[in-house]
């Protein structure tokens, strides 16, 4: 039996409409992708970090972002990717003492300009000091250690400040941070071994592109990858993380002995420490005592500061840098660290010797 003619025509029309709809959907998606790509290419470079196959990310070289965190809150890096406006030579001039500051966003100075980071402010407290800011937002203790071991050790320096907050120890157990891939440290026969290296470059590209363009397809891909890679890491328990962290600090001490560097550990208080105790802080105190590493824990001192003043040390919402130190907070931290450094005979001897060296070269 033949189909009615109108039914055949209706099927053809429906097929045509369906094909046309699919065509326009594909065309619209392709056009959006092309336009978004052009927008990404035309958008000024505002990222201060770059992909690194061994560490996940490090500082972008020669970055100059005038208003990174707001009007006048600039970020500049040198040719080595450190948050320093001056170049960092391998050797240190006579009469100067170089301090390398390792850490996360609290050391990097997220939310403030270069000159207002606590690491840079140390130079204003003592003209003999030259500081190198090797902080990076999002870093865990593992990445701080890896970057310093690779790019910090080759630089001549006398003092190494290794600073972190409680959450940086938990980050060691993650395969990613903020969606960006990172290595993890594992213990194999008692030795630290980087795992998940090289870090996937594709994940870095996807996250950067999602940030700079409104591409839902890439955002979906980023979410899927983050879900698939969640979990794992150096260990899911705090006990496993402690074993790895202990070895990190033990190797830091060994590096300091081998390279004649005075290493000082700094535990930075966050607003969480103002309200209560973190699970990591007692362990940090005990571990540094066991290893014989000098520890500057600023938590008790901050708790003695009047509440109103202490509150002014932290950036508030809705700023993306909320929770980090303000200019006043960085100034307070720099002052406290410098005072504690001057209480250590080894540090005073280093500074006195540099002063004599500088005087002898005149």
């Amino acid at each position: 039996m033949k189909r009615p003619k109108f039914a055949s025509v209706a099927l053809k029309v429906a097929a045509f409409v369906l094909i046309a709809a699919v065509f326009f959907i594909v065309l619209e998606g392709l056009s959006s992708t092309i336009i978004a790509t052009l927008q990404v290419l035309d958008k000024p470079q505002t990222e201060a970090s770059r992909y690194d196959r061994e560490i996940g990310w490090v500082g972008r070289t020669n970055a100059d972002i005038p208003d990174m965190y707001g009007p006048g809150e600039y970020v500049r890096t040198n040719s080595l990717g450190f948050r320093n406006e001056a170049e960092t030579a391998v050797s240190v001039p006579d009469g100067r003492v170089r301090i390398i500051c390792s850490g996360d966003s609290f050391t990097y100075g997220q939310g403030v300009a270069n000159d207002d980071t606590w690491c840079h402010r140390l130079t204003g407290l003592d003209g003999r000091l030259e500081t190198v800011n090797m902080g990076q937002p999002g870093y865990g203790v593992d990445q701080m250690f890896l970057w310093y071991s690779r790019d910090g050790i080759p630089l001549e320096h006398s003092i190494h400040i290794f600073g972190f907050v409680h959450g940086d120890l938990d980050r060691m157990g993650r395969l990613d941070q903020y969606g960006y891939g990172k290595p993890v440290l594992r213990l194999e026969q008692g030795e630290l071994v980087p795992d998940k290296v090289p870090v996937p470059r594709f994940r870095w590209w996807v996250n950067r592109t999602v940030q700079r363009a409104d591409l839902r397809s890439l955002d979906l891909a980023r979410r899927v990858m983050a879900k698939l890679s969640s979990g794992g890491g150096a260990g899911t328990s705090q006990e496993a993380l402690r074993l790895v962290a202990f070895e990190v600090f033990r190797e830091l001490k060994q590096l300091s002995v081998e390279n004649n560097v005075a290493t000082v550990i700094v535990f930075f208080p966050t607003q969480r420490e103002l309200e209560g105790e973190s699970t990591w802080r007692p362990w940090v105190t005990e571990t540094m005592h066991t290893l014989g590493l000098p520890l500057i824990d600023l938590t008790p001192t901050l708790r003695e500061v009047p509440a109103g003043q202490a509150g002014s040390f932290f950036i508030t919402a809705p700023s993306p840098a909320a929770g980090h130190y303000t200019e006043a907070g960085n100034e307070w931290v720099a002052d406290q660290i410098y005072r504690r450094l001057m209480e250590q005979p080894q540090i005073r001897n280093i500074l006195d010797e540099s002063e004599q060296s500088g005087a002898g070269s005149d």
Side-chain angles (χ1 to χ4, degrees):
M1 184 175 67
K2 291 185 178 182
R3 290 184 177 180
K5 188 174 182 179
F6 74 89
S8 178
V9 172
L11 286 174
K12 290 179 180 179
V13 171
F16 174 79
V17 171
L18 179 61
I19 293 172
V22 171
F23 173 77
F24 281 112
I25 290 173
V26 172
L27 180 61
E28 179 67 18
L30 181 61
S31 300
S32 298
T33 301
I34 294 174
I35 292 172
T37 302
L38 291 175
Q39 289 175 342
V40 169
L41 295 175
D42 290 339
K43 188 175 181 178
Q45 184 70 273
T46 57
E47 292 85 17
S49 58
R50 59 186 170 88
Y51 166 80
D52 187 280
R53 69 190 305 272
E54 296 177 334
I55 303 173
W57 62 91
V58 295
R60 182 163 67 89
T61 58
N62 300 313
D64 186 359
I65 310 172
D67 302 312
M68 178 76 172
Y69 302 115
E73 306 293 353
Y74 68 94
V75 168
R76 294 194 189 105
T77 62
N78 61 23
S79 62
L80 296 179
F82 305 146
R83 195 177 179 187
N84 290 82
E85 297 181 51
E87 288 300 324
T88 304
V90 174
S91 59
V92 183
D94 290 337
R96 303 297 293 275
V97 172
R98 177 179 287 164
I99 299 178
I100 289 183
C101 308
S102 293
D104 64 354
S105 52
F106 283 80
T107 296
Y108 185 81
Q110 189 164 339
V112 300
N114 278 35
D115 290 346
D116 291 316
T117 66
W118 65 260
C119 184
H120 178 79
R121 281 184 175 272
L122 289 175
T123 63
L125 296 174
D126 195 322
R128 296 169 293 182
L129 298 179
E130 173 189 300
T131 57
V132 177
N133 191 332
M134 289 190 71
Q136 271 295 298
Y139 264 14
V141 166
D142 49 357
Q143 290 169 291
M144 301 173 201
F145 170 74
L146 289 170
W147 197 23
Y148 171 73
S149 300
R150 189 188 71 182
D151 295 350
I153 284 294
L155 302 174
E156 182 183 340
H157 60 290
S158 301
I159 303 171
H160 178 211
I161 297 177
F162 193 87
F164 55 93
V165 299
H166 63 269
D168 297 336
L169 289 154
D170 292 313
R171 287 174 178 174
M172 292 191 306
R174 301 175 186 169
L175 295 176
D176 64 88
Q177 180 65 23
Y178 305 132
Y180 297 105
K182 61 176 287 292
V184 291
L185 290 174
R186 300 186 187 279
L187 279 175
E188 293 186 6
Q189 298 181 344
E191 294 187 1
L192 291 175
V193 178
D195 196 9
K196 306 303 179 182
V197 176
V199 176
R201 180 187 290 270
F202 180 68
R203 290 196 61 184
W204 173 269
W205 178 83
V206 167
N207 276 275
R208 275 295 185 238
T209 305
V210 167
Q211 287 181 0
R212 306 186 83 201
D214 186 17
L215 288 175
R216 294 185 178 181
S217 57
L218 285 179
D219 186 42
L220 176 61
R222 177 182 65 83
R223 292 170 183 266
V224 170
M225 286 188 297
K227 188 69 175 178
L228 291 175
S229 66
S230 61
T236 55
S237 69
Q238 194 171 77
E239 181 181 357
L241 291 178
R242 286 176 176 178
L243 293 174
V244 175
F246 185 91
E247 187 62 22
V248 166
F249 291 116
R250 192 195 68 78
E251 289 203 16
L252 270 178
K253 181 177 181 181
Q254 184 175 335
L255 285 173
S256 68
V257 172
E258 293 173 353
N259 295 278
N260 194 27
V261 173
T263 296
V264 178
I265 307 301
V266 177
F267 186 85
F268 291 113
T270 65
Q271 289 174 299
R272 174 177 176 176
E273 274 72 43
L274 285 178
E275 301 168 357
E277 194 64 83
S278 70
T279 56
W280 277 107
R281 184 168 165 257
W283 179 88
V284 170
T285 302
E286 180 182 352
T287 298
M288 300 314 137
H289 177 75
T290 300
L291 292 173
L293 278 169
L295 170 65
I296 298 176
D297 182 359
L298 298 178
T299 305
T301 309
L302 182 63
R303 288 174 176 170
E304 294 175 357
V305 176
Q309 182 182 359
S312 71
F313 291 166
F314 296 93
I315 298 173
T316 58
S319 169
H324 292 86
Y325 295 138
T326 60
E327 294 177 6
N330 276 278
E331 183 179 13
W332 180 85
V333 167
D335 182 66
Q336 293 297 321
I337 289 178
Y338 181 73
R339 289 185 185 184
R340 306 291 182 86
L341 290 178
M342 292 302 101
E343 293 173 358
Q344 299 186 30
Q346 183 184 11
I347 303 296
R348 291 202 305 270
N349 290 338
I350 290 172
L351 290 169
D352 290 342
E353 290 174 5
S354 72
E355 201 166 30
Q356 294 171 7
S357 174
S361 63
D362 291 339

